[in-house]
Amino acid sequence: MIENLLDPLFLFFLVGFVGGILKSDLKLPEAVYHLLSTYLLLAIGLKGGVQLAQAAPTRVALPALAALGLGAGMAFIVFYLALRVGRLKRADAAAFAGHYGSASAVTFAAALAVLNRMGIAHEGFMPVLLVIMEVPAILVAIYLHRIGQPSTRGARYGEIVHEVMLNRSVFLLFAGLAVGYAAGPQRFAPFELLFVSAFKPILAFFVLEMGLLAAWRLPELKKGGGWFLGTAAVLVPLAGGLTGGWVGLQVGLSTGGATVLATLAASASYIAAPAAMRVAIPEANTGVCVAAALGITFPFNLAIGIPLYVQWVQWLAR
């Protein structure tokens, strides 16, 4: 645990968070933030695409189905918990389910960095599972909201699907996968210095910005449903991580791969989901969802969750 708290990634997050709490003027320029996020998403997709080109389709199929089921299943469960236990409005419950059923690319990247530091190998096609988990939960959440609001006016389903699939993060992940798959390992080799070796140092700058955003967003949890959102922001990731780790082993993933799937199930989207929810459920309070995902769940996974999922999967694999 101490080792993970001293990891530069967590320390960079802490620097940003403290800077935000103390109202420092520390902030990455908007153009730099977008450049870093573009790089990270493309790098994740590219590495996954290269590995996918070398993997047998039968090896990927079962984990892909598991990721699909985890994302959609978590959206259903979280929605009804938020609606019945949290007493949130239907729109807010759907938005919360969409955020927590979907996955975080940055948390995924952090999990890969932790596994690399610990010397734990994992399947190279894991970014494919990240892409799969980004989308279904958002669509499920929108559907759950719509069936309870027959008279709701807003974007049509075609527009919603277009918004989700062409959302910047999802599109870049798909694009990276396609390019990496088409190029293959030999053609990708000259780019490894930038997209593989430099990945963790560049990720550190992005995590610094995440710390700032988390500090700024955290006060929004007081705006209705705060007690439930704050508690769920820890318990839902724990349940998702423990379930995801067990499922990962059942579908034949290595301990490293199962840990990554656990992390995906435990993470919450704060890029793709908010953008989609603003279009599909404009009356939802996406601000508090982002506050919970970024202010509580992200640092929880970074400091405690990921090492816990590693230990959990290793214990199950004995």
Side-chain angles (χ1 to χ4, degrees), residues 43-64 122-132 173-185 188:
I44 291 170
L46 281 167
K47 290 185 289 184
V50 170
Q51 293 296 323
L52 185 61
Q54 304 173 78
T58 52
R59 183 74 184 87
V60 182
L62 202 54
H122 59 83
E123 289 80 0
F125 59 78
M126 299 310 292
V128 177
L129 306 189
L130 168 63
V131 174
I132 289 172
L173 285 169
F174 271 121
L177 277 171
V179 172
Y181 182 82
F188 180 68

Side-chain angles (χ1 to χ4, degrees), residues 15 30 48 86 96 104-105 116 160 202-203 227 235 246 262 267 278 295:
V15 168
E30 194 72 18
F96 190 69
S104 162
N116 289 337
I160 296 166
I202 294 176
L203 174 61
W227 72 269
L235 296 184
W246 180 82
S267 66
R278 280 196 293 268

Side-chain angles (χ1 to χ4, degrees), residues 236-260:
V236 168
L238 269 176
L242 298 181
T243 304
W246 180 82
V247 169
L249 291 177
Q250 299 309 305
V251 297
L253 290 174
S254 64
T255 54
T259 300
V260 175

Side-chain angles (χ1 to χ4, degrees), residues 66-309:
L68 182 67
L70 276 170
M74 283 194 67
F76 272 105
I77 294 169
V78 172
F79 172 78
Y80 284 107
L81 281 174
L83 197 65
R84 307 299 182 194
V85 179
R87 303 292 182 182
L88 300 185
K89 296 177 182 177
R90 193 176 189 92
D92 292 343
F96 190 69
H99 284 71
Y100 276 81
S102 187
S104 162
V106 182
T107 309
F108 172 84
L112 297 188
V114 169
L115 290 177
N116 289 337
R117 174 170 56 81
M118 298 177 70
I120 301 175
H122 59 83
E123 289 80 0
F125 59 78
M126 299 310 292
V128 177
L129 306 189
L130 168 63
V131 174
I132 289 172
M133 289 191 72
E134 280 267 31
V135 177
I138 296 174
L139 297 178
V140 166
I142 294 168
Y143 170 76
L144 289 171
H145 172 256
R146 291 295 176 91
I147 60 173
Q149 304 287 331
S151 61
T152 298
R153 302 170 69 182
R156 296 179 179 178
Y157 280 108
E159 296 171 353
I160 296 166
V161 172
H162 180 274
E163 173 66 22
V164 173
M165 298 303 293
L166 290 184
N167 175 272
R168 182 170 169 273
S169 63
V170 176
F171 181 78
L172 285 171
L173 285 169
F174 271 121
L177 277 171
V179 172
Y181 182 82
Q186 292 184 339
R187 295 185 182 89
F188 180 68
F191 297 88
E192 286 188 353
L193 181 63
L194 175 62
F195 288 106
V196 178
S197 301
F199 182 80
K200 190 172 181 179
I202 294 176
L203 174 61
F205 284 98
F206 193 80
V207 168
L208 173 69
E209 181 73 3
M210 291 298 99
L212 284 167
L213 291 175
W216 296 336
R217 288 283 195 174
L218 209 51
E220 294 189 28
L221 282 177
K222 298 177 182 178
K223 299 177 181 178
W227 72 269
F228 171 79
L229 295 176
T231 305
V234 173
L235 296 184
V236 168
L238 269 176
L242 298 181
T243 304
W246 180 82
V247 169
L249 291 177
Q250 299 309 305
V251 297
L253 290 174
S254 64
T255 54
T259 300
V260 175
L261 184 59
T263 303
L264 286 173
S267 66
S269 172
Y270 46 81
I271 299 175
M277 293 301 158
R278 280 196 293 268
V279 171
I281 315 176
E283 66 270 32
N285 187 352
T286 56
V288 295
C289 299
V290 174
L294 192 55
I296 298 178
T297 300
F298 179 68
F300 169 79
N301 279 325
L302 210 60
I304 299 171
I306 297 173
L308 180 63
Y309 311 143

Side-chain angles (χ1 to χ4, degrees), residues 29-48:
E30 194 72 18
V32 174
Y33 171 80
H34 283 295
L35 178 63
L36 290 176
S37 62
T38 299
Y39 165 84
L40 292 174
L41 292 164
L42 274 179
I44 291 170
L46 281 167
K47 290 185 289 184

